[in-house]
Amino acid sequence: MTAEELQEGYVFLLDKPLDWTSFQAVNKMKYKLKREFNLPKKFKIGHAGTLDPRATGLLIVCCGKFTKKIPEIQDAPKEYWTEIKIGVQTESYDTEKPEILHQDIAHVTEQQVKETLEKFVGEIEQKPPVYSAIKIDGQRAYNLARAGEEVEMKSRKTTIFYIKDINIEFPLVSFTVGCSKGTYIRSLAHDIGQELGVGAYLTQLRRTKIGDYTIENATPDFLENEYKFESL
């Protein structure tokens, strides 16, 4: 790989670690590439679809002329391996905030869980979490929420293409979900809990696919020395 090739365009498939923001991952990549290839200060690089800090998995980073491809990649369907915990909730719908509102789940059956999951396949209405990067009056929702302000999120339509590979070991339920752009799996976890009547939150999330790109081709150690890349 040369500096000229990077500026002509590459897409990097990264395996984002836990507790890294997508922005931090891109900045680390940018710094490393600029240092190793003596790239110009205005070298273009960006990611095609944010992953929450508490999520891991496929993060696509485009550089050079391929940054123009970012909107196209962002629009592609996504796939996630998902684990939720039922019978309890958190304010953030994931592990960022402590557990609250514990409820007994002794009456909940595996069949009920499977039937509930099936209800969410198709086009659904979904409210993004208040702890999200969506802007409200110019400010990120999570900043408002962390400041203790009341945040009202508007519902939006999204599509769940499939839910499969369901595994139930109460109170944990894991599954693979395919969805359209803009789907919040944290909100899906919360809504599943509400439908079951006992609450739920997201305990683990790993993005496994974006369009035709898969986690199997991603680099797990991009913060170290190696990169895997594909030409678009």
Side-chain angles (χ1 to χ4, degrees), residues 130 132-146 151:
V130 293
S132 67
I134 291 174
K135 286 191 175 181
I136 299 176
D137 296 330
Q139 296 192 60
R140 300 290 185 187
Y142 57 69
N143 286 331
L144 296 173
R146 287 168 185 158
V151 182

Side-chain angles (χ1 to χ4, degrees), residues 186-204:
R186 282 185 288 152
S187 291
L188 177 64
H190 174 79
D191 293 345
I192 289 168
Q194 296 304 299
E195 184 68 24
L196 284 168
V198 294
Y201 74 94
L202 186 67
T203 51
Q204 294 188 69

Side-chain angles (χ1 to χ4, degrees), residues 98-110:
E99 293 184 348
I100 56 173
L101 303 176
H102 291 78
Q103 296 193 54
D104 181 31
I105 63 169
H107 63 285
V108 179
T109 67
E110 290 191 9

Side-chain angles (χ1 to χ4, degrees), residues 3-73:
E4 290 74 22
E5 288 172 330
L6 285 169
Q7 292 183 84
E8 279 302 307
Y10 271 105
V11 54
F12 293 85
L13 308 182
L14 309 181
D15 189 345
K16 188 190 80 66
L18 188 68
D19 290 332
W20 276 74
T21 67
S22 300
F23 180 76
Q24 286 172 322
V26 171
N27 268 2
K28 181 72 172 181
M29 171 71 84
K30 184 176 183 179
Y31 172 79
K32 189 173 180 66
L33 290 176
K34 287 179 70 174
R35 183 187 62 192
E36 292 187 3
F37 293 92
N38 195 29
L39 293 163
K41 184 174 289 189
K42 293 185 178 181
F43 174 65
K44 292 183 178 180
I45 188 169
H47 66 76
T50 302
L51 262 181
D52 288 336
R54 300 300 297 166
T56 65
L58 185 60
L59 181 69
I60 297 179
V61 177
C62 298
C63 65
K65 293 179 181 178
F66 280 1
T67 53
K68 294 178 181 178
K69 299 278 189 179
I70 286 176
E72 174 188 328
I73 298 173

Side-chain angles (χ1 to χ4, degrees), residues 90-103:
T90 74
E91 291 181 358
S92 59
Y93 299 174
D94 65 3
T95 57
E96 180 183 340
K97 290 293 184 178
E99 293 184 348
I100 56 173
L101 303 176
H102 291 78
Q103 296 193 54

Side-chain angles (χ1 to χ4, degrees), residues 123-163:
E123 187 177 76
I124 61 172
E125 288 278 343
Q126 183 183 79
K127 275 190 177 183
V130 293
Y131 287 86
S132 67
I134 291 174
K135 286 191 175 181
I136 299 176
D137 296 330
Q139 296 192 60
R140 300 290 185 187
Y142 57 69
N143 286 331
L144 296 173
R146 287 168 185 158
E149 296 188 31
E150 189 170 331
V151 182
E152 180 60 36
M153 308 301 292
K154 294 181 179 179
S155 294
R156 54 174 67 181
K157 281 184 168 57
T158 190
T159 302
I160 305 297
F161 300 120
Y162 55 82
I163 294 177

